[in-house]
């Protein structure tokens, strides 16, 4: 996805957006592993943070998909115009 974003926008900084998904996913997975490792102890704060990270990850995925779709639409309409 990073390469597609770079090709569409010619912006290296914007192309790094998918790496935020990677960081959120790694943090989420770490939280899940810690929750499983400490089971049956209840770590409510960690569970809340892990749930937030899950939501953040999927929000970033949606944002990247929208970014790509907008870039593709811009390319199509600018070529026609």
């Amino acid at each position: 996805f990073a390469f597609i974003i770079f090709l569409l926008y010619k912006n290296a900084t914007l192309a790094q957006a998918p790496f935020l998904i990677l960081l959120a996913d790694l943090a989420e997975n770490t939280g899940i592993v810690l929750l499983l490792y400490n089971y049956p102890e209840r770590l409510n704060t960690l569970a809340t943070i892990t749930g937030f990270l899950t939501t953040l990850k999927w929000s970033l995925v949606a944002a990247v998909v929208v970014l790509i779709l907008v870039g593709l639409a811009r390319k199509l309409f600018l070529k026609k115009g």
Side-chain angles (χ1 to χ4, degrees), residues 4 7-9 65-79:
I4 294 169
L7 290 176
L8 291 171
Y9 292 96
V65 168
V66 167
L67 190 65
I68 291 171
L69 292 175
V70 167
L72 287 172
R74 282 182 47 207
K75 289 283 187 188
L76 286 174
F77 290 119
L78 288 178
K79 281 187 178 182

Side-chain angles (χ1 to χ4, degrees), residues 3 8 15 20 37 44-45 61 70 72-73 75-76 79-81:
F3 187 63
L8 291 171
L20 295 175
Y37 181 76
N44 292 329
T45 303
V61 168
V70 167
L72 287 172
K75 289 283 187 188
L76 286 174
K79 281 187 178 182
K80 289 184 179 180

